[in-house]
Amino acid sequence: MSIESTASQYLLLFRNSGEWHRGLSPQELQEVTDQWMNWFNRLSEQGKVTAGHPLAPEGKIVSGKNGQFVVDGPFVESKETIGGYFLLNVESAEEAIAIARECPGLAYGVRVEVRPVAAKCSLRETDGAELAESHA
Amino acid sequence: MGRNLLSRTLRIDMVASETLETDAPPGEIPQVVEHLFRHEWGKLVSRLTSIFGIDRLNLAEDLVQEALAKALQTWPYYGVPKNPAAWIMQVSKNLAIDYVRREKVFRDKEAEMISLLEEHNTDSDRSPSFAEEIKDDSLRMMFVCCHPIVPREAQVALALKILCGFSPAEIGKALLASEAAVAKKLTRAKEKIRSAGIPFEVPAGKELSGRLDGVLQTLYLLFNEGYKASSGPRLVREELCHEAIRLTSFLAEHPVGNCPKVHALLALMLFNAARLPTRSDCNGNILLLKEQDRSRWNRPLISSGMFHFSQSAAGNEISEYHIQAGIAACHCAAPNYQSTDWANILSLYDGLIEIDDSPVVALNRAVAIANVHGVAAGIEAVAGIRDRAKLDAYYLLYAVLGEFEAQLNHRDAAAGYFRRALELADTKSERQFLAKKLKASQQGVKEKNHKKGRALEAIG
């Protein structure tokens, strides 16, 4: 059986071409910075975001059966990379999407990927404990 | 500046805090000082240009752009740094160092450049000598942007781009040009600078005075772009006035620019900017000087204007800016329209016309004459304007004549003039204003008729 959880976690992944802010004027850059700051702060105060970080553009990609391939990537010049993330703590997918729609970067081509963080199992820990008790 | 102005409210952000401590009170989300990015732009681009050379101007701009982009990336998560301006400077320098090492284009100069960039790290960033160097770099850039080899309008665009941090799109909006046209102008200007081998330095000796005049003309032009009704959206126009004031203030504070004519120009700008909030009513209709609510004139700007006006009184050189500032001071000093010292204004115009006997100045002088000696004298003065034919397509000529005739209750003559003015007016607000005047004269609304010193409506 599955039990509805009252809150869940979603990951917002901010996808953009590495160049998206290159075309903005200093004034626009500041406006987006202010907006993004206010957005993140507001969500933090409401307890809706539990973590968030920017991701530096440089990185490596490890692949191969034994992890023998380590190459540079992804490249910022490539079509889309993930520039940062928010880990949301919200009631529903709808709420996560509503928050994603507020992203100030959208106006400049940023895309926000909304992914539910998969539950550990279909029962939440505390509910599982109660169940275990009742079966004891 | 005899043209009509249009604006509603004035956002006063003239003071660009160079270094800002943003320890916000608890519970408050720290905001970045308004226009910080734009105002820091000029300083930083100038600093990097002093290291890389004027022909690497584009590189300097790219590096500062990247530093600002980094701020956008990280500040939302980590908060505004305690000293945002210093942070941006440090990052732009680090990016520059990375660039020099990575690109290996500077070869034997590489070590020198890196040491210049690494100099003055955070703590000594606050040393007075470092602050002076930064100012010097910005001043050098000002003289480069306003170099005589660059066409005057392009100088304004270049100053807006490099010194004020406006993008080509923003400049286009301000100057009513397309972004593409602005970009082209900028490219050409930069190319001229590069191929002429213009040095990145403040002119010295005999050359300085003439070059300084050139800079002042460009700053005056920039202010006027923001001041006149026919350019850009209102808020953008106000920005232009503020930027002109900011740059002129900067110039006045520097030893090279701390001279009477610079203070005079600054005073003029401040007096005019002080009146910006009252130049139109809530419907966007033009308000004449007579109708403006003087309680809403910006007092701090007027005081600041008076300060610089007194600074300009040193020495024995009277520039055009001195006289214009004097006229503006007369208006600003009058608590109401009726107590305006027109006699003083007229004598100032008499002085101005000796320096600049252009028909527009003569027209403004005629208005002063009418206020001192009566309308008939004003009409005579207009008739006597030298090169009057040059005003044939200037709507204010007819607006002024219409005013004069209306004061004399010559309704038909007045209507005729207002009709002509209406045909020639450029902007919606000007046309609305003139249409009102035309209607009033057609209805034969009697104007009050005083004698000498009567309150003829001056076009403010």
Side-chain angles (χ1 to χ4, degrees):
Chain A
M1 51 180 153
S2 70
I3 300 206
E4 294 299 312
S5 45
T6 52
S8 38
Q9 294 194 308
Y10 288 84
L11 200 60
L12 294 189
L13 295 164
F14 302 113
R15 308 193 75 102
N16 42 257
S17 85
E19 303 296 307
W20 76 278
H21 31 52
R22 302 285 180 259
L24 270 60
S25 70
Q27 184 62 19
E28 286 169 318
L29 285 169
Q30 181 167 343
E31 278 165 13
V32 182
T33 303
D34 280 333
Q35 286 161 10
W36 206 302
M37 221 165 22
N38 286 329
W39 186 44
F40 187 58
N41 281 325
R42 183 172 38 88
L43 292 171
S44 305
E45 283 181 2
Q46 292 169 344
K48 298 207 162 134
V49 67
T50 52
H53 290 94
L55 293 177
E58 317 78 32
K60 302 281 187 197
I61 299 183
V62 176
S63 62
K65 271 210 275 192
N66 306 306
Q68 67 265 44
F69 301 122
V70 179
V71 298
D72 288 341
F75 293 105
V76 294
E77 295 82 9
S78 66
K79 280 190 281 275
E80 229 178 38
T81 57
I82 299 173
Y85 76 92
F86 282 178
L87 180 60
L88 297 181
N89 187 30
V90 292
E91 304 274 300
S92 64
E94 286 70 34
E95 200 180 345
I97 290 170
I99 289 173
R101 294 176 75 176
E102 296 169 350
C103 173
L106 287 167
Y108 299 100
V110 172
R111 284 149 41 104
V112 187
E113 187 173 324
V114 183
R115 301 285 299 273
V117 173
K120 252 194 203 168
C121 62
S122 54
L123 300 177
R124 288 179 68 207
E125 265 181 323
T126 49
D127 303 307
E130 279 175 15
L131 271 178
E133 255 188 60
S134 68
H135 283 290
Chain B
M1 292 170 186
R3 302 293 306 273
N4 288 310
L5 300 197
L6 241 223
S7 58
R8 268 172 250 260
T9 56
L10 187 72
R11 278 198 338 265
I12 301 159
D13 54 55
M14 279 169 41
V15 180
S17 307
E18 301 277 286
T19 55
L20 181 75
E21 300 287 331
T22 52
D23 280 358
E28 260 185 43
I29 298 172
Q31 292 297 317
V32 187
V33 164
E34 207 172 5
H35 306 313
L36 178 79
F37 283 19
R38 247 180 35 202
H39 290 169
E40 288 302 305
W41 175 274
K43 225 170 69 173
L44 297 176
V45 172
S46 304
R47 174 97 279 241
L48 291 178
T49 301
S50 77
I51 294 170
F52 289 130
I54 190 70
D55 34 312
R56 293 302 211 125
L57 180 52
N58 288 333
L59 170 63
E61 290 188 288
D62 286 345
L63 289 168
V64 178
Q65 177 80 2
E66 256 193 75
L68 296 179
K70 271 213 162 27
L72 163 55
Q73 253 202 316
T74 59
W75 293 7
Y77 300 89
Y78 303 122
V80 181
K82 195 158 177 220
N83 189 334
W87 187 100
I88 298 171
M89 171 166 295
Q90 190 57 52
V91 169
S92 68
K93 278 198 223 165
N94 291 342
L95 287 169
I97 292 172
D98 288 347
Y99 179 86
V100 171
R101 290 208 174 112
R102 193 177 61 236
E103 297 298 319
K104 302 193 186 312
V105 286
F106 297 104
R107 282 179 282 248
D108 38 336
K109 285 204 173 171
E110 189 175 311
E112 183 193 330
M113 281 189 178
I114 291 182
S115 83
L116 277 171
L117 287 165
E118 279 180 337
E119 223 173 55
H120 312 293
N121 283 320
T122 10
D123 286 337
S124 53
D125 268 5
R126 304 198 193 199
S127 76
S129 64
F130 182 61
E132 286 310 309
E133 275 179 50
I134 293 283
K135 287 188 181 161
D136 286 347
D137 290 333
S138 300
L139 197 72
R140 288 185 191 107
M141 190 61 88
M142 205 181 268
F143 277 95
V144 167
C145 290
C146 301
H147 196 281
I149 208 177
V150 179
R152 184 75 65 197
E153 296 84 47
Q155 288 180 24
V156 172
L158 205 56
L160 282 173
K161 176 76 172 59
I162 300 176
L163 293 170
C164 307
F166 278 50
S167 69
E170 289 167 346
I171 295 172
K173 214 164 108 180
L175 305 180
L176 291 184
S178 73
E179 183 182 345
V182 171
K184 210 164 152 191
K185 240 186 216 180
L186 291 171
T187 307
R188 283 208 190 117
K190 286 180 184 176
E191 188 45 50
K192 279 206 163 104
I193 288 171
R194 213 184 353 249
S195 56
I198 289 176
F200 189 62
E201 62 188 34
V202 174
K206 282 189 287 182
E207 207 199 332
L208 177 59
S209 185
R211 290 287 303 279
L212 186 58
D213 282 341
V215 172
L216 295 182
Q217 279 179 40
T218 300
L219 294 176
Y220 181 67
L221 184 58
L222 174 59
F223 186 88
N224 264 332
E225 281 299 334
Y227 199 62
K228 65 190 190 194
S230 59
S231 64
R234 180 186 43 90
L235 287 179
V236 174
R237 295 200 305 273
E238 285 172 15
E239 291 295 358
L240 296 186
C241 290
H242 292 315
E243 289 302 312
I245 287 173
R246 194 172 67 90
L247 294 177
T248 311
S249 301
F250 170 78
L251 189 57
E253 286 163 18
H254 196 283
V256 161
N258 186 11
C259 58
K261 61 188 170 187
V262 178
H263 287 285
L265 175 58
L266 184 52
L268 173 58
M269 289 180 181
L270 288 162
F271 288 142
N272 284 317
R275 298 185 280 136
L276 278 173
T278 59
R279 292 180 153 270
S280 58
D281 65 16
C282 51
N283 295 317
N285 293 312
I286 294 172
L287 292 175
L288 298 172
L289 257 181
K290 166 172 154 163
E291 298 159 332
Q292 290 171 14
D293 178 3
R294 299 191 177 208
S295 68
R296 286 177 54 224
W297 284 0
N298 186 304
R299 290 285 134 201
L301 288 180
I302 293 178
S303 309
S304 195
M306 290 299 178
F307 168 74
H308 288 284
F309 189 49
S310 66
Q311 295 286 92
S312 74
N316 47 21
E317 187 198 337
I318 300 283
S319 70
E320 192 183 335
Y321 304 128
H322 281 93
I323 301 181
Q324 289 198 37
I327 293 167
C330 286
H331 285 300
C332 284
N336 50 56
Y337 190 82
Q338 286 69 25
S339 40
T340 305
D341 188 351
W342 284 107
N344 197 356
I345 292 177
L346 178 55
S347 72
L348 285 166
Y349 270 114
D350 287 341
L352 185 57
I353 206 128
E354 279 180 33
I355 301 179
D356 174 11
D357 63 352
S358 74
V360 175
V361 171
L363 182 61
N364 284 320
R365 179 170 168 270
V367 171
I369 287 176
N371 275 283
V372 175
H373 298 297
V375 180
I379 293 177
E380 223 182 287
V382 173
I385 290 177
R386 198 184 69 84
D387 281 342
R388 193 185 163 303
K390 287 189 179 163
L391 294 174
D392 278 349
Y394 188 44
Y395 87 95
L396 274 179
L397 169 68
Y398 305 101
V400 167
L401 287 171
E403 243 344 278
F404 286 165
E405 297 294 353
Q407 304 304 352
L408 297 174
N409 276 319
H410 299 160
R411 290 189 290 154
D412 292 331
Y417 283 129
F418 285 131
R419 217 171 277 126
R420 185 85 181 97
L422 197 50
E423 284 167 21
L424 294 167
D426 287 327
T427 70
K428 186 172 151 205
S429 55
E430 287 165 357
R431 283 194 294 272
Q432 264 174 270
F433 168 75
L434 291 166
K436 224 172 58 176
K437 287 279 168 186
L438 176 57
K439 196 163 165 209
S441 65
Q442 282 167 332
Q443 286 169 350
V445 173
K446 285 189 177 197
E447 303 282 347
K448 272 203 217 146
N449 203 347
H450 307 300
K451 288 190 302 187
K452 250 193 191 188
R454 65 169 306 282
L456 180 80
E457 293 156 39
I459 313 291

